[in-house]
Amino acid sequence: MVITESLDKLTTQIEALFVKEGLVYPEWGIHSGKSNRTIRKMVSLCQDLYNQMELGLELLGAKVAWGEPTIEERLTDYKFFTKLITDLMGTYSGDLICFKVEKKRYSSGNCKFEYKRFGKATGGIRSVIQLLSEALGYVTLESAFAELIASSYNSFQMTVGAIARLKSRLNWQVMYPDSLSKDSMHLRELMQKNGFDDAWSEFQAGLDNYRQDHLLDSTNRIANTTTLLLGAIAKKYRFKGGQLGAHTLFLEKLGFIHERVREMISQFWGYLSKFRKGKEPSRNEAMLLLDLAFSIFGFLLPRIDEFKVDADMIHEARTVTNRIIKMRKEEEARRTVLTDKKS
């Protein structure tokens, strides 16, 4: 799962900077001499971790809202999430408790801090960020620096414990009972990564409609998403055709998709479009269309990162596409004239 993998990666990176690079060794004390560059990197990673935790909480909160739990279940979830959010996020405060330290100088001349635990550490990623940020205001030989680093490390360890609970809940609540939530989160990351925010907003609305049993609205939103997404991908390769057919034709000529994929997308959109006339899809139809949308979007979006193309290929694909579109329009115009004459 994307979020849990990101949480694991970021916590490992932060732990490495705390421990492996020698900024803090809990058993041995705190060594001086580390540059502020390391701490600034840690703050940046902690902010990334904050963002991933926020995504995870958002996903879990949405899942709870979609279900219909009993009063007892809602109360249990409320207590669980209230504590989890507090333990994960912490707070920005001027009253963060720091561990007191003792400073000792050894015969070698190297300075090393040893700290004793006084007070209770404050967990939460906000606390870690605040403590690390405040440490930037001190030099490494000062006791205040040692206190802040020691406290930030212990706050981080408490936060890691809360992250383990978050991952456990995500694995249980998202990956198994509701793959729709997991898959939509993955598509959201890919769409936003490529700047396709309009397509994501439309697709998200379609997902919400589906969960609320507004199946006709959901199907129409998926049709809109298909148009927006294919148009955005084509535009990424400098093609601005106005219709879905032109976009898919261009992407085929460019080599981004195969002819069979283009035909599949066109047929999929055509089937979606029949519901624009007001025909209400059944639950099974809406579910099938949603599954197909995930399959198509899940194929197209990762393709962007692996597809390599040069300016000459883009120019050639654009030229061929425009020529075919022009020929089709001329043929359609001739058929229209012939039909009018016969009538």
Side-chain angles (χ1 to χ4, degrees):
M1 184 179 182
V2 175
I3 294 178
T4 55
E5 291 172 359
S6 296
L7 291 171
D8 286 336
K9 180 180 179 181
L10 288 166
T11 51
T12 299
Q13 289 176 321
I14 295 169
E15 180 78 21
L17 289 173
F18 263 123
V19 180
K20 293 180 181 178
E21 293 195 11
L23 185 63
V24 55
Y25 293 88
E27 295 84 3
W28 308 334
I30 301 175
H31 289 260
S32 63
K34 281 294 177 180
S35 68
N36 285 346
R37 185 188 313 162
T38 301
I39 301 177
R40 286 195 293 270
K41 183 177 180 180
M42 293 168 73
V43 171
S44 177
L45 289 171
C46 285
Q47 184 60 58
D48 292 340
L49 183 60
Y50 176 98
N51 295 337
Q52 288 299 311
M53 290 191 296
E54 194 172 49
L55 279 175
L57 288 170
E58 178 185 334
L59 181 55
L60 287 175
K63 175 63 179 69
V64 172
W66 297 332
E68 296 180 354
T70 64
I71 294 175
E72 291 76 17
E73 287 173 335
R74 283 201 298 269
L75 183 60
T76 301
D77 280 333
Y78 174 78
K79 289 181 178 179
F80 174 82
F81 283 114
T82 299
K83 178 168 175 51
L84 180 60
I85 291 170
T86 300
D87 292 345
L88 283 171
M89 297 306 185
T91 182
Y92 294 113
S93 170
D95 302 320
L96 291 174
I97 298 174
C98 289
F99 292 113
K100 299 300 181 182
V101 302
E102 293 180 354
K103 179 177 177 182
K104 296 182 179 179
R105 185 173 296 277
Y106 293 85
S107 58
S108 63
N110 294 326
C111 185
K112 173 176 164 179
F113 294 117
E114 293 183 346
Y115 64 88
K116 296 180 179 179
R117 295 171 183 258
F118 293 105
K120 184 178 180 181
T122 302
I125 196 65
R126 291 191 184 108
S127 303
V128 180
I129 292 173
Q130 182 176 349
L131 289 162
L132 287 172
S133 298
E134 290 184 8
L136 291 171
Y138 297 89
V139 297
T140 54
L141 297 181
E142 293 185 71
S143 295
F145 174 85
E147 292 174 1
L148 289 163
I149 294 298
S151 301
S152 65
Y153 181 73
N154 281 274
S155 290
F156 176 70
Q157 291 300 322
M158 294 177 69
T159 307
V160 170
I163 290 172
R165 281 183 283 137
L166 173 64
K167 291 193 301 182
S168 176
R169 188 72 177 214
L170 282 166
N171 288 334
W172 168 71
Q173 187 167 319
V174 177
M175 288 187 69
Y176 298 104
D178 191 1
S179 63
L180 181 65
S181 301
K182 176 194 69 173
D183 293 340
S184 63
M185 211 53 154
H186 181 52
L187 289 183
R188 167 185 171 173
E189 292 178 1
L190 291 172
M191 288 188 189
Q192 292 184 335
K193 172 187 174 182
N194 288 285
F196 303 155
D197 293 319
D198 290 345
W200 166 250
S201 296
E202 191 69 14
F203 190 51
Q204 185 178 39
L207 293 174
D208 291 340
N209 289 148
Y210 176 80
R211 294 178 182 113
Q212 296 161 6
D213 279 331
H214 301 157
L215 303 182
L216 179 59
D217 290 336
S218 173
T219 305
N220 287 333
R221 293 282 192 176
I222 294 171
N224 293 341
T225 304
T226 306
T227 302
L228 288 170
L229 182 60
L230 268 297
I233 295 174
K235 186 176 181 181
K236 194 175 187 72
Y237 298 106
R238 302 197 292 278
F239 181 79
K240 300 180 181 179
Q243 303 295 324
L244 179 74
H247 297 149
T248 53
L249 180 61
F250 167 74
L251 292 175
E252 178 206 335
K253 299 306 177 184
L254 189 63
F256 184 87
I257 58 176
H258 189 272
E259 177 186 4
R260 296 300 184 189
V261 176
R262 175 180 62 80
E263 292 174 354
M264 180 181 69
I265 293 171
S266 298
Q267 291 171 1
F268 173 65
W269 194 88
Y271 191 58
L272 286 167
S273 297
K274 83 172 190 175
F275 297 107
R276 290 176 176 269
K277 300 176 182 178
K279 176 180 171 60
E280 182 79 20
S282 67
R283 183 75 181 179
N284 286 336
E285 283 179 315
M287 184 184 300
L288 174 62
L289 292 169
L290 198 56
D291 284 341
L292 289 171
F294 273 112
S295 298
I296 292 172
F297 301 162
F299 168 77
L300 293 173
L301 290 165
R303 177 81 171 128
I304 295 173
D305 283 338
E306 63 188 34
F307 183 68
K308 304 300 180 184
V309 65
D310 58 35
D312 290 339
M313 294 171 63
I314 291 174
H315 176 73
E316 182 180 355
R318 191 164 51 211
T319 301
V320 172
T321 301
N322 288 331
R323 184 170 65 245
I324 293 174
I325 291 173
K326 182 180 179 181
M327 291 171 58
R328 288 177 178 177
K329 287 181 178 179
E330 291 174 348
E331 180 61 28
E332 181 65 27
R334 281 195 296 270
R335 283 200 299 266
T336 301
V337 171
L338 289 173
T339 301
D340 291 341
K341 286 183 179 180
K342 290 181 181 179
S343 61

